[in-house]
């Protein structure tokens, strides 16, 4: 004959059933461990485990791979793909590059049924007037911003997508919290963070070589603004290529961050005896510079040629020759790395697209 249940076992079963049915237990939280149940109801660990195991068999609870027991509805929550935190700038019409990267990234995440979260506390860059230089957060403010994100968004995540504007010292300081993170558009030396970037040296050489192939005799590197790590790397690569391929004058690295500086650059072009080729590193500023050149009555591409350094729709619609960066593919590769939890630094190729300005 089967053994008669003891009163404590019956009480344990009733309490667990009450816990399951009263609707007050959070499905995302595991039920108490067998040791706690055994202590509370005066039964052995083996007996408590036997009750939970029987309830699991009957479908009243669900046992996860970790060995913990949950409400049946907890299974759906536990197996639901966790979201990815996108710690990127607030998108505006000028941030076409990030819209393109997120297009590729979101496509990958959609295939995995993984949602994207964009915390509102991330303020990496401020744009005031379209014709003025952006203002970038310093490391102190970035660190505060990152801590606010973690404090106000406590839920677990599958990974992090990082804007290239995050400073290396901030990433290094926060790396323990950035599990399964991928940095866009530039590489990083912070161990444990993956990246998807381009070969800047090759891109710079492509731009300068293209201008020289079109018989421009003097090369100018036009700096759209300072403080953006991707733009800074492209500037260094362009200057390096110009030094290697021409008799480059360091004074021909010129600022074009505002109307006054762009007007000064136009005067330099007007008074120069040579045909000038300009490598301007960012599409929006490159288009502003082109408009300033044309308003001054300087013929492009006859007197001056201009090539931009990003290749977004701003460049294509404006008729700009450009170094084409595969932003959509960059986002797609980042999505693959995060989805598969792969630690890797991927470098994507670039190419020159000739248009009306060279």
């Amino acid at each position: 004959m089967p053994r008669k249940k003891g009163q404590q076992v019956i009480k344990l079963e009733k309490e667990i059933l009450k816990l399951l049915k009263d609707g007050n237990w959070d499905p995302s939280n595991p039920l108490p461990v067998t040791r706690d149940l055994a202590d509370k109801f005066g039964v052995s660990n083996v007996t408590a485990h036997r009750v939970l195991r029987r309830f699991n068999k009957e479908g009243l609870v669900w046992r996860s791979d970790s060995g913990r027991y949950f409400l049946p509805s907890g299974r759906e929550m536990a197996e639901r793909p966790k979201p990815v935190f996108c710690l990127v700038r607030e998108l505006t019409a000028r941030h076409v590059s990030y819209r393109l990267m997120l297009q590729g990234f979101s496509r990958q995440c959609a295939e995995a049924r993984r949602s994207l979260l964009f915390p509102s506390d991330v303020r990496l860059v401020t744009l005031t007037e379209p014709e003025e230089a952006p203002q970038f957060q310093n490391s102190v403010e970035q660190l505060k911003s990152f801590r606010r994100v973690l404090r106000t968004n406590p839920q677990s995540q599958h990974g992090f997508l990082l804007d290239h504007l995050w400073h290396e010292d901030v990433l290094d300081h926060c790396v323990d919290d950035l599990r399964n993170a991928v940095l866009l558009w530039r590489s990083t030396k912070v161990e444990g963070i993956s990246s998807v970037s381009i070969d800047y040296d090759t891109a710079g050489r492509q731009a300068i070589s293209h201008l020289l192939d079109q018989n421009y005799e003097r090369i100018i590197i036009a700096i759209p603004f300072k403080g953006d790590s991707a733009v800074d790397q492209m500037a260094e690569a362009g200057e390096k290529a110009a030094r290697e391929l021409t008799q480059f004058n360091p004074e021909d690295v010129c600022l074009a961050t505002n109307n006054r500086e762009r007007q000064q650059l136009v005067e330099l072009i007007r008074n120069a005896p040579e045909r000038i080729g300009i490598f301007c590193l960012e599409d929006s500023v490159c288009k502003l510079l082109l408009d300033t050149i044309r308003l001054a009555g300087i013929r492009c591409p006859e007197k001056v040629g201009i090539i931009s350094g990003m290749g977004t729709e701003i460049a294509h619609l404006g008729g700009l020759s450009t170094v084409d960066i595969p932003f959509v593919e960059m986002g797609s590769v980042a999505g693959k790395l995060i989805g598969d939890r792969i630690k890797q630094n991927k470098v994507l190729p670039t190419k020159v697209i000739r248009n009306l300005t060279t």
Side-chain angles (χ1 to χ4, degrees), residues 291-347:
D291 292 342
T292 306
I293 289 170
R294 286 174 170 167
L295 283 172
I298 300 174
R299 299 179 66 187
C300 177
E302 292 82 2
K303 167 63 177 175
V304 58
I306 187 167
I307 183 170
S308 72
M310 287 169 54
T312 67
E313 62 196 48
I314 295 173
H316 300 309
L317 294 175
L320 293 162
S321 296
T322 186
V323 176
D324 190 57
I325 296 176
F327 288 117
V328 176
E329 183 184 359
M330 193 177 288
S332 181
V333 171
K336 182 71 173 171
L337 292 178
I338 287 181
D340 295 341
R341 295 185 179 276
I342 296 172
K343 298 295 183 186
Q344 195 172 11
N345 295 317
K346 296 285 288 185
V347 179

Side-chain angles (χ1 to χ4, degrees), residues 25 30 82 95 158 191 200 203 247 259 261 266 270 276 284 344:
W25 192 265
K82 292 182 175 62
H95 292 147
H158 181 78
E191 188 173 351
Y200 283 94
Q247 298 296 319
N259 286 329
E261 291 171 347
V266 165
R270 190 200 307 276
I276 290 181
S284 296
Q344 195 172 11

